[in-house]
Amino acid sequence: MTLMRSLASIFTLIALSTPVPHASAPFSEFSKHDYIFVVGQHHSGTTITALVLCQHSNVSCIQGSRAPENEGQHLQHVYAPARTLGGMQSYGFNSNAHLTEEDERFGQTDVPKKLFTSWSRFWDISKGYLLEKSPRHVTMTRFLQRAFGEERSKFVMIMRHPLGAGHYFWNKRRNRGWIKDSCGRKVIEHWLAVHNTFERDVGHLHSVTGLHFEEYLSRSRHLAQVITNRLFGHLGLEQSVQLEFQESAHAYNDQHEIEVHADHLSEHQQSQGRRRLLEYHGDRSHVQVRYGGVYTWVDDWNKLTNNMTSPVCQALIKEKEAQLRLYGYSLQDLRWLGPATPFTNFFLNPDDLSN
């Protein structure tokens, strides 16, 4: 069996129920839970990671909201969502995106109550851990920690190569021209802005775990399971989720996708719930994840930029290479993966993931 075929395997996640929104929980429930926030730049693997964590019997995700990706940022009126700050590829440039525990809102309104009231309509509060996933929250972790409590807030940060995370954006027909001309400068600079902000904030966080998306789903079934176990361990959940693997009948040319089974959803939910995520197609009800394709974007990028041989690309590499290597990525070698130096203390160490 070739390496390509051996990597074309899937793990199946148990179907998540899609509850009907209910009345907000009384605020007396607020202190009875721990809160998991999955953060990272858009299209970096936050959705997949959240789906895995939500398989645990004591974890509840926001479900059935009809908001884009069931993200909490779209279900509240306390702070501005990414779309009003410039969108997925610009919000990190906006100074209003960075929120901390010193934000004036804490003196003007009851932030914890407002957020809990908004999101509890879509959580199953019989579970001990309530999970929220919004990529935009990567620039407001300190704000959320103050709102939900230092001891109760747990952050999971997912990081992916900026050009891999930005594939959905720069590979659109309407964007290819100016992306080629600039060699994707805006995509890279925005990614750096977002991660620079998180780097400044992470020392203020009480509980945070991070990982490279490429480590999670690009190597083997064993490593995917080990990382899953470590994630649950860091969150204080004693029992992990066992990923169910199946051999694929097709090689798929190293593709990585989600296959969706949504027969139990209404016709409206099915039409509204599907979207393209990285190389995935899916909703959040039942997913099959095919690992081994986290670098499928590389060929598209090299084709678009002629292997980054233009003077513009070479200048960009010279300017940004050292900054990206600090986070474990490279423009010279797009598949290179190194340690995330600023995050050494909380990132899962690939050297320790063999057991």
Side-chain angles (χ1 to χ4, degrees):
M1 179 180 291
T2 66
L3 175 62
M4 183 178 295
R5 183 173 293 275
S6 68
L7 289 178
S9 301
I10 57 178
F11 64 77
T12 303
L13 303 177
I14 302 169
L16 293 174
S17 62
T18 305
V20 176
H22 48 76
S24 298
F27 191 59
S28 58
E29 291 286 334
F30 176 80
S31 62
K32 299 178 182 179
H33 304 272
D34 283 344
Y35 298 90
I36 302 170
F37 298 99
V38 179
V39 302
Q41 176 63 322
H42 291 82
H43 295 259
S44 289
T46 55
T47 295
I48 301 306
T49 304
L51 283 167
V52 171
L53 295 175
C54 289
Q55 305 307 306
H56 195 282
S57 60
N58 199 29
V59 177
S60 173
C61 288
I62 290 176
Q63 290 279 307
S65 71
R66 294 192 180 183
E69 302 314 305
N70 281 318
E71 291 176 2
Q73 64 167 324
H74 305 300
L75 297 169
Q76 52 73 45
H77 300 287
V78 174
Y79 58 86
R83 65 172 178 248
T84 68
L85 297 170
M88 284 187 262
Q89 286 297 327
S90 295
Y91 75 94
F93 296 136
N94 192 321
S95 61
N96 293 323
H98 184 215
L99 305 182
T100 73
E101 67 281 349
E102 298 175 357
D103 192 272
E104 62 183 11
R105 291 172 182 81
F106 287 108
Q108 299 171 347
T109 186
D110 191 341
V111 173
K113 185 175 183 179
K114 284 192 171 184
L115 291 179
F116 181 77
T117 299
S118 296
W119 295 343
S120 64
R121 295 182 60 228
F122 309 100
W123 277 326
D124 178 355
I125 62 167
S126 69
K127 307 295 179 70
Y129 289 73
L130 305 180
L131 185 149
E132 195 287 323
K133 187 279 295 184
S134 291
R136 179 261 184 275
H137 289 164
V138 72
T139 60
M140 49 179 290
T141 52
R142 292 162 60 183
F143 180 93
L144 291 170
Q145 180 174 262
R146 176 171 176 182
F148 287 85
E150 184 176 287
E151 297 296 328
R152 291 189 293 269
S153 301
K154 302 174 185 293
F155 295 91
V156 177
M157 191 272 192
I158 316 301
M159 194 159 62
R160 193 185 190 197
H161 193 292
L163 294 174
H167 184 209
Y168 77 97
F169 177 75
W170 55 255
N171 202 41
K172 290 180 179 178
R173 185 181 300 274
R174 66 175 180 268
N175 293 332
R176 290 175 192 166
W178 69 267
I179 287 288
K180 179 180 179 180
D181 292 342
S182 67
C183 205
R185 173 177 287 274
K186 180 183 177 182
V187 173
I188 293 165
E189 290 184 341
H190 183 253
W191 188 97
L192 285 169
V194 166
H195 289 81
N196 289 165
T197 297
F198 182 77
E199 180 183 345
R200 293 194 302 271
D201 288 350
V202 71
H204 297 266
L205 303 181
H206 178 72
S207 176
V208 58
T209 304
L211 70 152
H212 286 113
F213 181 63
E214 291 85 355
E215 290 284 358
Y216 196 12
L217 292 178
S218 69
R219 300 197 177 180
S220 69
R221 294 178 293 180
H222 172 72
L223 186 59
Q225 183 64 64
V226 169
I227 291 176
T228 300
N229 296 344
R230 296 289 180 87
L231 282 175
F232 280 107
H234 280 281
L235 292 170
L237 289 160
E238 296 181 0
Q239 210 170 14
S240 180
V241 166
Q242 294 302 306
L243 306 177
E244 298 179 14
F245 293 93
Q246 300 176 6
E247 288 297 324
S248 171
H250 308 284
Y252 283 97
N253 296 320
D254 200 32
Q255 290 296 304
H256 184 178
E257 63 185 27
I258 287 179
E259 300 172 0
V260 184
H261 301 267
D263 295 338
H264 64 287
L265 298 180
S266 69
E267 182 177 348
H268 175 79
Q269 287 173 315
Q270 291 190 45
S271 66
Q272 296 296 314
R274 296 176 183 271
R275 61 156 286 191
R276 186 167 179 79
L277 298 170
L278 302 172
E279 289 80 26
Y280 316 119
H281 296 273
D283 61 25
R284 356 199 110 341
S285 298
H286 185 195
V287 295
Q288 293 182 331
V289 180
R290 193 178 307 282
Y291 69 85
V294 296
Y295 290 110
T296 54
W297 58 271
V298 172
D299 287 343
D300 288 340
W301 180 253
N302 284 335
K303 182 178 179 181
L304 179 66
T305 63
N306 193 25
N307 296 303
M308 299 187 74
T309 54
S310 71
V312 171
C313 284
Q314 290 300 302
L316 186 66
I317 291 173
K318 184 176 181 180
E319 180 183 344
K320 303 296 183 184
E321 181 70 12
Q323 295 176 58
L324 286 175
R325 281 188 173 259
L326 281 176
Y327 296 109
Y329 295 113
S330 171
L331 293 176
Q332 292 177 327
D333 181 353
L334 298 175
R335 295 174 184 265
W336 179 80
L337 187 64
T341 303
F343 306 144
T344 301
N345 292 336
F346 69 90
F347 248 53
L348 295 179
N349 186 348
D351 294 335
D352 297 333
L353 294 177
S354 58
N355 300 316

